[in-house]
């Protein structure tokens, strides 16, 4: 309903807005640790939670939807798969030498802005299973997409 009333795609809400708002305290902690030159703790906070969500929460959503008889799988479209692959590659290059400076942060921030702009202009159709379960499936779809976004950051 928020997507329809705001005129924003569900993908943008679930991949960009929901992770930013939902994990604001965690992001703030990672930024504070980065300002204090504790890059290992900052990376541990950012990448550790993304790993936990991608390894536990996304499969749990798929299994729960399967038990409830709702068609939900991890069959992501080209934009979602491409943005995930691109973010993993850029992050691997940024962490490769073990140092950090403002240019690497700027590149990562610009990549996030470009991915956000792509999801802002795209209108991804929802893939619902049963007719009466649109609300639950939209929640599961948004939750799975936010987990993918968390693993990107």
């Amino acid at each position: 309903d928020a997507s329809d009333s705001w005129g924003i795609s569900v993908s943008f809400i679930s991949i960009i807005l929901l992770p930013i708002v939902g994990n604001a305290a965690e992001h703030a902690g990672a930024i504070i640790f980065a300002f204090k030159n504790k890059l290992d703790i900052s990376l541990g906070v950012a990448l550790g939670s993304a790993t936990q969500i991608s390894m536990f929460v996304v499969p749990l959503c798929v299994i729960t939807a399967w038990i409830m008889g709702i068609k939900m799988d991890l069959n992501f479209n080209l934009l979602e798969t491409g943005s995930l692959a691109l973010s993993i590659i850029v992050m691997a290059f940024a962490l490769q030498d073990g140092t950090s400076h403002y240019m690497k942060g700027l590149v990562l921030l610009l990549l996030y802005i470009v991915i956000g702009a792509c999801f802002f202009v795209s209108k991804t159709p929802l893939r619902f299973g049963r007719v009466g379960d649109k609300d639950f499936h939209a929640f599961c779809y948004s939750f799975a997409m936010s987990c993918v976004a968390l693993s990107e950051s």
Side-chain angles (χ1 to χ4, degrees):
D1 290 338
S3 173
D4 292 335
S5 65
W6 292 347
I8 300 174
S9 68
V10 174
S11 297
F12 181 77
I13 292 173
S14 60
I15 293 177
I16 304 300
L17 294 182
L18 191 64
I20 288 174
V21 173
N23 294 323
E26 185 176 310
H27 296 312
I31 290 170
I32 289 170
F33 285 128
F35 274 127
K36 293 181 179 181
N37 266 345
K38 298 186 186 226
L39 188 60
D40 54 340
I41 297 174
S42 180
L43 286 174
V45 167
L47 297 178
S49 65
T51 304
Q52 288 173 351
I53 287 181
S54 65
M55 297 299 288
F56 176 70
V57 177
V58 173
L60 182 67
C61 284
V62 172
I63 291 171
T64 304
W66 174 66
I67 290 171
M68 296 178 74
I70 299 169
K71 182 184 177 204
M72 180 181 173
D73 54 12
L74 296 177
N75 186 14
F76 300 124
N77 64 24
L78 182 62
L79 179 60
E80 294 160 351
T81 306
S83 64
L84 179 63
L86 183 64
S87 63
I88 289 171
I89 291 169
V90 171
M91 190 67 165
F93 279 123
L95 296 176
Q96 187 173 7
D97 60 353
T99 62
S100 65
H101 52 80
Y102 74 95
M103 189 57 75
K104 288 183 180 182
L106 183 65
V107 167
L108 291 172
L109 187 63
L110 289 175
L111 176 67
Y112 191 72
I113 290 170
V114 167
I115 290 173
C118 290
F119 281 106
F120 184 76
V121 299
S122 74
K123 296 289 182 187
T124 306
L126 291 176
R127 300 176 289 267
F128 295 127
R130 295 189 314 218
V131 176
D133 293 329
K134 287 177 68 175
D135 294 334
F136 178 75
H137 196 283
F139 169 75
C140 288
Y141 180 79
S142 299
F143 193 72
M145 291 298 100
S146 65
C147 293
V148 170
L150 282 175
S151 66
E152 290 177 1
S153 64

